Amino acid sequence: MKFRSTNRKCPEVSLREAVLGGLAPDGGLYVPLTIPVLPPEFFAWLRGMTLPQIGFEVGKEFLGDDVPEEIIRLISSEALNFPAPIVTLGGDLHVLELFHGPTLAFKDFGARFMARLMEYFVRDSGRELTVLVATSGDTGSAVAHGFHGVAGIRVVILYPSGRVSQAQEKQFTTLGGNITALEVAGSFDDCQKLAKQALSDQDLAREVSLTSANSINIARLIPQMFYYFAAWAQLKDAPLPLVFSIPSGNFGNLTAGLMAKRMGLPVLRFVAATNANDVVPEYLNTGEFRPRASQRTISNAMDVGNPSNFARMLDLYEHDLNALRTDVWGAGFSDADTEQTMRVTKEHYGYLADPHTAVGLLGLRIFQRQKKIPCRGVVLSTAHPAKFADIVATATAARVPLSQGLADCLSRPSHAVPLANRYEDLKRLLLG
Ligand SMILES: *Cc1c(COP(=O)(O)O)cnc(C)c1O
């Protein structure tokens, strides 16, 4: 399988180059040259498949030319070693819980798979790889845990001092080993700027092999397709058409769903549910794409004003708005509506949803109310409520029990290294 840039202004590359390069040299995002369609037999077997088996079968369609089958099997079983259960709230309303990984958010799927794939690619190179990532919270923890202890790879995380939650900070500053967390005296934008400067520094590149672990990397998207298939496999004998609702920020999760549909997964519609940062729903409704500075909300992992995977969505539908509308319906919601949904979900179903999942529940409800299409709805639950315990407690008056893993992590000492907001300081550290 070859990969090309969404900007189509540079040569096609192998999976290895796409994964180790991150962004294409023309500034575009890598996409598969073609999306393979799975045979009907696959869907007959799918009902009985485990998540690692799905990871192997779907993954080898994209990895098969570059990675031996036994390695794909190993990567899938090691990376996907936690469940993605469907919880039925009532009737045709289901939640797909994607938060049972080590950092309690769905980003574990992408980060763990990417880490093992990169490990395979650098194993024989004899050169250490440095993975640089700027984070406002969840990405840092998933990437840190995904790469912890992986041989030949060093991870450097840049995060804004005082602007991530305590749980998030502890999850990426307490590991040590090959994980270095830099507490930057600046904002998330400053961190991102430092990371970009390092990634485009030719002088530095001669000394250090550097790549990015942000969601522009295609290695994070491929494993995010697997759980859409796993959801279908769990919904045995579904009489009604399937609708997935996806709480979205950078739209990697939703793009992976669209790719799964292109591979043959029978899905009627995808709901693109956002908070007040609603540039994609606005585009679907008006045809105008107006990226802008992000607004702060209670579902902060989705505070994205210029979603990077929008380029991949347009590419997949060849910039045909009506074709995209056939598969994706979108809406954005306020914090007040999100809090009310958390409350109602607890009252009606006894279920605690984190604020991101609540946006997805709301999106599905409004879609069904407006379209009146009988369907089976699956909301992707992207984070454990304990990760946003304060917000959940305020909205529902429920105390959210801390998970054991999170409690352990909170009790460990942090090893963050303070860093001035100065590129020279970062460079010295990367060379050291
Ligand atoms: C990152 C994240 C999202 C948004 O996912 P995208 O793929 O960027 O759209 C939603 N919820 C949680 C909890 C997240 O961490």
Side-chain angles (χ1 to χ4, degrees):
M1 171 78 64
K2 290 282 189 196
F3 293 79
R4 65 167 171 83
S5 165
T6 50
N7 286 347
R8 297 174 183 263
K9 291 199 186 85
C10 56
E12 292 163 12
V13 298
S14 66
L15 175 75
R16 180 195 187 95
E17 290 168 277
V19 170
L20 295 183
L23 200 65
D26 63 4
L29 274 66
Y30 284 119
V31 290
L33 205 54
T34 54
I35 296 192
V37 176
L38 293 161
E41 304 91 83
F42 170 82
F43 291 93
W45 301 327
L46 181 55
R47 297 262 186 231
M49 278 189 206
T50 63
L51 191 57
Q53 284 169 338
I54 294 171
F56 171 71
E57 294 295 337
V58 176
K60 77 173 160 41
E61 299 288 330
F62 297 90
L63 275 58
D65 292 343
D66 293 69
V67 185
E69 288 204 350
E70 68 271 19
I71 302 287
I72 304 173
R73 213 182 281 281
L74 194 67
I75 291 175
S76 296
S77 63
E78 285 183 6
L80 311 169
N81 65 347
F82 54 91
I86 287 255
V87 174
T88 298
L89 297 190
D92 286 309
L93 177 60
H94 311 271
V95 173
L96 180 66
E97 292 186 343
L98 301 175
F99 54 68
H100 295 284
T103 73
L104 310 182
F106 85 99
K107 287 191 175 72
D108 284 325
F109 285 93
R112 291 171 66 78
F113 194 89
M114 172 170 65
R116 283 156 183 82
L117 189 57
M118 281 187 179
E119 178 185 24
Y120 171 74
F121 284 142
V122 301
R123 195 175 294 158
D124 311 316
S125 72
R127 228 182 148 193
E128 188 187 56
L129 179 72
T130 298
V131 175
L132 196 58
V133 64
T135 183
S136 55
D138 284 343
T139 300
S141 27
V143 168
H145 280 259
F147 284 90
H148 188 221
V150 171
I153 299 182
R154 165 175 76 144
V155 176
V156 178
I157 298 167
L158 298 160
Y159 75 100
S161 180
R163 302 198 205 188
V164 302
S165 80
Q166 196 205 3
Q168 288 170 328
E169 184 170 12
K170 284 278 188 174
Q171 281 184 333
F172 56 75
T173 58
T174 57
L175 292 170
N178 63 328
I179 312 295
T180 304
L182 302 177
E183 181 175 6
V184 177
S187 66
F188 170 65
D189 292 326
D190 294 327
C191 295
Q192 207 159 23
K193 219 163 110 191
L194 288 170
K196 279 196 182 141
Q197 201 170 345
L199 287 161
S200 57
D201 184 337
Q202 297 307 316
D203 180 43
L204 182 64
R206 274 188 292 276
E207 304 291 326
V208 181
S209 304
L210 212 58
T211 190
S212 158
N214 285 105
S215 78
I216 50 173
N217 202 309
I218 190 71
R220 277 181 56 175
L221 231 59
I222 293 168
Q224 288 181 188
M225 281 187 271
F226 305 158
Y227 46 71
Y228 287 93
F229 290 98
W232 188 85
Q234 287 177 71
L235 288 170
K236 295 202 167 55
D237 314 316
L240 296 174
L242 197 56
V243 171
F244 282 105
S245 178
I246 299 105
S248 295
N250 249 329
F251 283 84
N253 209 358
L254 190 126
T255 303
L258 297 175
M259 287 166 63
K261 177 167 186 186
R262 202 56 75 83
M263 292 183 85
L265 186 70
V267 181
L268 179 71
R269 267 290 179 83
F270 294 86
V271 175
T274 71
N275 56 30
N277 297 284
D278 62 349
V279 290
V280 171
E282 182 182 273
Y283 171 75
L284 291 166
N285 292 325
T286 67
E288 269 187 73
F289 186 65
R290 297 191 303 123
R292 46 197 180 251
S294 61
Q295 295 179 47
R296 286 177 86 133
T297 74
I298 57 168
S299 46
N300 66 353
M302 312 197 300
D303 294 350
V304 181
N306 188 7
S308 49
N309 282 291
F310 183 65
R312 285 194 174 112
M313 291 168 68
L314 286 183
D315 190 272
L316 206 50
Y317 290 84
E318 295 172 341
H319 294 256
D320 179 345
L321 174 59
N322 285 326
L324 183 61
R325 276 176 176 155
T326 310
D327 282 354
V328 188
W329 179 89
F333 303 98
S334 69
D335 280 355
D337 288 344
T338 306
E339 282 177 334
Q340 201 212 343
T341 301
M342 283 190 268
R343 188 163 53 245
V344 169
T345 304
K346 167 153 185 291
E347 279 165 11
H348 282 203
Y349 307 110
Y351 189 81
L352 287 182
D354 96 292
H356 305 81
T357 306
V359 169
L361 284 161
L362 198 46
L364 182 68
R365 178 138 48 83
I366 303 303
F367 170 78
Q368 285 172 325
R369 188 179 298 166
Q370 284 196 8
K371 299 289 167 185
K372 300 195 165 59
I373 304 170
C375 64
R376 188 164 248 215
V378 178
V379 176
L380 270 53
S381 178
T382 50
H384 192 292
K387 214 172 177 181
F388 298 90
D390 295 348
I391 295 165
V392 176
T394 307
T396 64
R399 265 200 59 224
V400 190
L402 211 60
S403 73
Q404 192 55 47
L406 198 55
D408 290 348
C409 169
L410 289 173
S411 69
R412 286 189 207 112
S414 294
H415 304 288
V417 178
L419 187 82
N421 182 16
R422 251 196 320 265
Y423 178 62
E424 288 315 311
D425 291 19
L426 173 63
K427 186 166 176 176
R428 198 168 327 118
L429 203 138
L430 290 172
L431 287 167

